[in-house]
Amino acid sequence: MRRAVYPGTFDPITKGHLDILRHAAALFDEVVIAVLHNAAKAPMFDLDTRLELARDAVASFTNCRVDSFAGLLVTYYQREGFDAVIRGVRNPLDLQSEMSMAQMNESLLPDIHTLFIPSSAGFSFVSSTLVKDVAMHGGDVSNYVTPTVEQALRSVLK
Ligand code: PNS
């Protein structure tokens, strides 16, 4: 059984993430969305809410589940026995930073395998950060997030 981990902050999960997940779920027996418990960053949504929103968003994927991790990705990857790390790439800037992360992870754990999945053109500009900014200024984010996430943004920003 081939299992991939798709790590991220997911603050909150967007349709861009689901677009990447769609490809990963077609390639692996199981894909685990791993939400980083990041004390250093100040996410809009706490870990429990990010997990809840991610679980709701991926409910239609039969081979996907949601987990959280803290600390180094390589430690979690090794402990859980994953076969690959999935990361989405939207543009050359993403590629640059993703390359550095993948290379650092490989330097820490030579057996790690990172796969980059290009975003669909329609989602190449979608990020959690921009979605939060649009929502914060009263814009319509329904094209970029699920209705549950849209509702969560509304209630946190009211
Ligand atoms: O959604 P994001 O914020 O782009 O995800 C970044 C993430 C969570 C994949 C990355 O920051 C990460 O793996 N953090 C865990 C700590 C770690 O392993 N750092 C070294 C990786 S270079």
Side-chain angles (χ1 to χ4, degrees):
M1 172 150 156
R2 287 294 192 187
R3 298 168 62 242
V5 58
Y6 179 11
T9 306
F10 299 105
D11 183 42
I13 194 163
T14 68
K15 288 185 182 176
H17 293 124
L18 298 178
D19 171 51
I20 301 300
L21 176 63
R22 177 171 66 84
H23 293 290
L27 294 171
F28 288 88
D29 298 307
E30 183 183 54
V31 180
V32 175
I33 295 262
V35 182
L36 178 65
H37 176 48
N38 41 351
K41 284 192 191 175
M44 173 179 274
F45 295 103
D46 63 24
L47 178 65
D48 284 347
T49 307
R50 283 181 285 142
L51 286 168
E52 205 177 294
L53 294 174
R55 286 197 178 106
D56 178 85
V58 308
S60 63
F61 290 87
T62 52
N63 62 338
C64 177
R65 67 181 174 85
V66 176
D67 191 16
S68 66
F69 77 106
L72 284 176
L73 176 62
V74 292
T75 308
Y76 173 65
Y77 180 95
Q78 206 165 27
R79 192 181 71 226
E80 297 295 319
F82 289 116
D83 298 293
V85 176
I86 301 295
R87 291 289 288 169
V89 174
R90 292 166 297 191
N91 52 49
L93 264 184
D94 268 1
L95 185 60
Q96 206 173 334
S97 61
E98 291 301 330
M99 284 292 293
S100 300
M101 277 203 278
Q103 287 163 347
M104 174 56 86
N105 285 333
E106 196 198 23
S107 165
L108 295 168
L109 181 66
D111 276 351
I112 202 165
H113 306 293
T114 300
L115 300 181
F116 294 155
I117 295 183
S119 71
S120 302
F123 289 111
S124 62
F125 59 93
V126 177
S127 68
S128 300
T129 305
L130 285 184
V131 164
K132 283 181 284 190
D133 195 52
V134 171
M136 212 174 288
H137 292 91
D140 177 5
V141 293
S142 58
N143 284 337
Y144 321 122
V145 294
T146 62
T148 309
V149 171
E150 197 184 351
Q151 182 54 49
L153 282 163
R154 246 191 249 119
S155 54
V156 101
L157 292 170
K158 76 175 179 232

